[in-house]
């Protein structure tokens, strides 16, 4: 990425913290970093309960995507990424922690309980990643042709594997071609579905708000040669699958690095682990000046997901497909909801 790498996201008060601040204030401050995690459609499907010395991460099912993500798999992955940011922030402020995943037998929305203590567990490997949190961004535009060095590639793979995921790099030209075909097929299937188009349109905003995707960032207005304010309406009304497939094929072809994030199982624990692996990988990429975006369409359609697994030669279950490279400058980060909306 460029000199924009460490620019803070809007609506987030990322600043230094008084060492003498109360524990409650420290925890609330750490949440400001947690919410900078990526999420599908920038839906930010989480909320946090802060007590005296603990934080509970909860899924916000009101912000789910029932068409594209009917089992809340991507929602849970997004919350896993937020959990990783939270761990990194707590570590930065010298706060140890003990994490209990899915702590409630009666409330499935409670994904993780983080008990905080200055004498709790700390992970020094997280320290270099803290400053990358505000700079991580999803860039949906074309990358430069500059290749990613082998040592950087290996560090990204290692980052994801540290969190228990399998990371596969797709270099082979034949496999890349098959992926491109699968993405095109998925685009055609998704955009032919009026329910999918309606759901996507609901999260594309002509002006920047506290969530969702600005139409210019989504690339939709440019694709349709339309003014930004009517891009969401066009998606809702017209099947643009062919155009989206062409755009994604071009993006894939110009991506120096394609990575699949996979897990051994396909249950909620695996999804949460995939989210943490994703964010560790993305923050590591940001430190190296790289940026990323997603080509998850084939993973969102069950038959195509299995074909992707087979064509990539995976023994594990694919959860995410990332393109990574050196991206253009971006003037603004994706918006975030006010802290008052996510702290319960």
């Amino acid at each position: 990425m460029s000199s924009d790498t460490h620019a803070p996201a809007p609506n987030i008060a990322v600043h230094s913290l008084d060492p003498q601040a109360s524990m409650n204030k420290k925890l609330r401050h750490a949440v400001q970093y947690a919410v900078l995690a990526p999420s599908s459609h920038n839906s930010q499907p989480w909320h946090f309960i802060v007590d005296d010395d603990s934080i509970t991460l909860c899924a916000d099912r009101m912000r789910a995507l029932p068409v594209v993500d009917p089992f809340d798999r991507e929602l849970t992955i997004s919350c896993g990424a937020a959990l990783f940011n939270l761990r990194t922030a707590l570590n930065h402020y010298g706060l140890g922690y003990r994490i209990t995943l899915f702590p409630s037998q009666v409330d499935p929305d409670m994904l993780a309980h983080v008990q905080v203590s200055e004498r709790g567990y700390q992970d020094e490997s997280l320290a270099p990643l803290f400053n990358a949190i505000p700079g991580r961004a999803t860039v949906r535009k074309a990358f430069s042709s500059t290749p990613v060095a082998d040592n950087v590639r290996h560090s990204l793979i290692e980052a994801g594997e540290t969190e228990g995921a399998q990371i596969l790099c797709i270099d082979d030209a034949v496999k890349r071609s098959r992926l491109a075909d699968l993405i095109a097929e998925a685009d055609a299937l998704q955009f032919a579905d009026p329910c999918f188009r309606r759901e996507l349109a609901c999260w594309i905003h002509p002006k920047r708000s506290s969530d969702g995707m600005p139409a210019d960032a989504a690339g939709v207005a440019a694709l349709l040669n339309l003014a930004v304010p009517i891009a969401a309406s066009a998606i809702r009304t017209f099947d643009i699958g062919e155009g989206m497939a062409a755009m994604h094929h071009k993006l894939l072809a110009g991506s120096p690095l394609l990575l699949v994030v996979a897990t051994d199982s396909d249950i909620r624990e695996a999804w949460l682990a995939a989210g943490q692996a994703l964010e560790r990988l993305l923050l590591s990429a940001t430190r190296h000046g790289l940026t990323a975006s997603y080509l998850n369409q084939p993973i969102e359609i069950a038959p195509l997901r299995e074909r992707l697994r087979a064509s990539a030669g995976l023994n594990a279950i694919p959860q995410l497909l990332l393109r990574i490279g050196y991206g253009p400058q971006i003037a603004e980060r994706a918006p975030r909801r006010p802290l008052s909306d996510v702290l319960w």
Side-chain angles (χ1 to χ4, degrees), residues 3-270:
S3 60
D4 193 39
T5 297
H6 296 299
N11 304 338
I12 301 296
V14 178
H15 50 71
S16 60
L17 179 66
D18 182 354
Q20 303 304 316
S22 66
M23 177 65 78
N24 182 271
K25 188 171 183 178
K26 289 178 179 178
L27 299 188
R28 293 171 64 90
H29 189 82
V31 170
Q32 292 184 97
Y33 288 88
V35 301
L36 294 180
S39 58
S40 297
H41 295 2
N42 192 29
S43 55
Q44 304 169 52
W46 46 59
H47 67 263
F48 300 82
I49 300 171
V50 177
D51 292 323
D52 292 337
D53 58 356
S54 69
I55 302 174
T56 302
L57 167 62
C58 300
D60 187 344
R61 310 285 178 183
M62 297 297 293
R63 308 182 73 78
L65 305 171
V67 177
V68 76
D69 186 31
F71 303 107
D72 288 347
R73 181 185 64 86
E74 292 185 0
L75 180 151
T76 307
I77 288 173
S78 298
C79 288
L83 178 60
F84 184 83
N85 277 2
L86 180 62
R87 288 168 50 198
T88 304
L90 292 174
N91 182 80
H92 177 78
Y93 291 117
L95 299 172
Y97 52 83
R98 184 177 68 254
I99 299 176
T100 303
L101 300 181
F102 304 101
S104 174
Q105 295 184 355
V106 297
D107 187 353
D109 289 350
M110 295 178 64
L111 305 185
H113 180 75
V114 184
Q115 185 69 44
V116 179
S117 167
E118 292 183 355
R119 291 185 294 273
Y121 173 76
Q122 292 187 343
D123 183 353
E124 290 307 313
S125 72
L126 300 178
L129 301 177
F130 176 76
N131 287 331
I133 293 176
R136 184 217 57 80
T138 301
V139 175
R140 297 177 177 86
K141 298 180 180 179
F143 297 148
S144 78
S145 59
T146 305
V148 178
D150 286 344
N151 65 312
V152 175
R153 176 186 308 201
H154 293 153
S155 72
L156 300 184
I157 293 173
E158 182 180 9
E161 291 178 344
T162 297
E163 295 298 322
Q166 294 187 36
I167 311 298
L168 177 66
C169 181
I170 308 295
D171 286 325
D172 182 80
V174 173
K175 290 182 178 180
R176 277 183 169 238
S177 179
R178 289 173 182 167
L179 280 179
D181 290 343
L182 286 171
I183 291 167
E185 187 174 349
D187 279 329
L189 290 171
Q190 288 185 326
F191 279 93
D193 180 358
C195 295
F196 171 85
R197 298 201 306 269
R198 188 178 302 115
E199 180 175 86
L200 176 60
C202 287
W203 290 95
I204 294 179
H205 306 314
K207 296 182 180 179
R208 289 185 174 265
S209 61
S210 62
D211 61 9
M213 301 175 291
D216 53 350
V220 172
L223 170 67
L224 298 173
N225 195 26
L226 293 171
V228 167
I230 62 173
S233 177
I235 286 180
R236 185 182 293 109
T237 306
F238 301 110
D239 178 357
I240 60 169
E242 184 176 341
M244 293 300 290
M247 181 179 75
H248 290 142
H249 188 284
K250 183 177 180 180
L251 291 177
L252 184 147
S255 298
L257 194 57
L258 287 175
L259 296 180
V260 179
V261 179
T263 55
D264 291 333
S265 61
D266 202 27
I267 57 177
R268 60 181 187 170
E269 289 81 2

Side-chain angles (χ1 to χ4, degrees), residues 267-326:
I267 57 177
R268 60 181 187 170
E269 289 81 2
W271 302 339
L272 208 58
Q276 296 193 76
L278 168 69
E279 188 66 347
R280 185 186 276 264
L281 189 161
L282 291 177
L283 295 182
S284 298
T286 300
R287 290 188 66 230
H288 289 288
L290 293 160
T291 190
S293 68
Y294 308 92
L295 294 168
N296 289 329
Q297 302 92 305
I299 299 176
E300 295 167 345
I301 300 173
L304 300 189
R305 188 185 191 192
E306 176 56 28
R307 285 166 54 189
L308 184 152
R309 186 199 64 76
S311 64
L314 272 170
N315 293 321
I317 300 168
Q319 302 292 351
L320 299 152
L321 176 59
L322 298 170
R323 65 181 194 101
I324 296 176
Y326 297 95

